[in-house]
Amino acid sequence: LEIVTEALNCASGTEVYNSTGTSHIDTGLTNGTTYYYMACDYDALKTSPGVIASTTPNPDANIPWSWGFNSTGQLGDGTVTDRPSPVQVANLTSMADVDGGWAHTVALLSDGTVWTWGSNLYGQIGDATTADRALPVQVIPDVSTDVDSGAFHTIALNSPGRVWTWGFNLNGQLGNGTTTDSSVPVQVSSLSSVIAVASGYFHSMALKSDGTVWTWGMNLYGQLGIGVTGSYRTAPVQTSGITNV
């Protein structure tokens, strides 16, 4: 049984990896038995064949599955019922990427569409409401190439290299120059030619085609990498001393 783990420490928000940095492998498990792992956030549904949270091979690893706590519909099966066993996310196939926030989920399909579901308290679903969604809803009409989620915000990269964010923005993690939450996607300020995006609990980051790294949002512990701590940033700033990434 191999489960991809990109976990977050619930208390500190620190990313936790095992010695390989990518996966956790258990041996001596009984075939046909369900095992449970607790993490705040982990990418257990990557599209690599066999990297699934099941002792039975998934015939189509591009179909998203979910399980666990479901009070706000974050499992995407149309209910708010907790699931101790995997259930298929409704109405989605051909998944290219998936990521989970504190209680919401974002998926990128192979056609470039972005879908979200779950908690929407701060607008992190991106459908112009703050109503929780137990079924996936599509956001961003343009073709996207990368997605990620923070604790309560979501980030997407579309094909022209522009970055869009939505949701919680108390620390400027949306990068649009404000600290106002947004229930619809807003474009990150003064950022183009981006090739990859990622997010922490309350900050976001982008990699540009020139090899530079840009960050914005909370900086309480220096997570923006700009040589100072304490001050959040509402617009992207270049991380110090890193080039040619």
Side-chain angles (χ1 to χ4, degrees):
L1 175 65
E2 183 177 9
I3 297 179
V4 174
T5 59
E6 186 182 359
L8 295 173
N9 181 292
C10 297
S12 68
T14 304
E15 293 185 5
V16 180
Y17 298 93
N18 75 329
S19 58
T20 66
T22 57
S23 65
H24 175 76
I25 299 174
D26 279 331
T27 59
L29 302 182
T30 302
N31 203 27
T33 300
T34 302
Y35 297 87
Y36 305 103
Y37 292 80
M38 182 177 291
C40 291
D41 175 18
Y42 64 95
D43 291 346
L45 300 174
K46 293 296 186 182
T47 56
S48 302
V51 184
I52 55 175
S54 171
T55 54
T56 303
N58 187 350
D60 186 352
N62 294 94
I63 295 177
W65 296 75
S66 57
W67 58 95
F69 192 49
N70 196 30
S71 65
T72 58
Q74 58 263 52
L75 300 188
D77 66 344
T79 77
V80 290
T81 303
D82 297 345
R83 303 292 188 181
S85 299
V87 292
Q88 186 173 330
V89 175
N91 307 324
L92 291 187
T93 59
S94 303
M95 185 183 66
D97 196 9
V98 64
D99 196 73
W102 184 260
H104 79 289
T105 310
V106 56
L108 173 67
L109 302 192
S110 59
D111 62 1
T113 56
V114 176
W115 298 74
T116 54
W117 59 95
S119 174
N120 198 24
L121 180 63
Y122 302 102
Q124 58 263 51
I125 299 300
D127 64 349
T129 77
T130 53
D132 297 341
R133 300 298 181 186
L135 290 170
V137 295
Q138 185 179 351
V139 292
I140 302 187
D142 295 333
V143 173
S144 296
T145 58
D146 196 11
V147 295
D148 204 15
S149 60
F152 308 107
H153 75 287
T154 312
I155 183 170
L157 169 66
N158 67 12
S159 55
R162 296 189 296 264
V163 180
W164 297 81
T165 55
W166 56 97
F168 191 52
N169 196 32
L170 179 65
N171 302 109
Q173 55 263 52
L174 300 190
N176 65 338
T178 77
T179 55
T180 303
D181 300 343
S182 179
S183 63
V184 296
V186 293
Q187 189 171 348
V188 175
S189 306
S190 307
L191 200 60
S192 60
S193 301
V194 175
I195 59 174
V197 294
S199 58
Y201 255 38
F202 303 121
H203 74 290
S204 306
M205 62 194 76
L207 173 64
K208 296 182 66 171
S209 59
D210 62 3
T212 57
V213 176
W214 296 72
T215 57
W216 58 97
M218 178 183 278
N219 193 39
L220 182 63
Y221 304 105
Q223 53 264 60
L224 301 188
I226 56 176
V228 297
T229 63
S231 299
Y232 61 77
R233 297 290 188 269
T234 62
V237 290
Q238 187 175 349
T239 299
S240 305
I242 299 179
T243 58
N244 300 319
V245 175

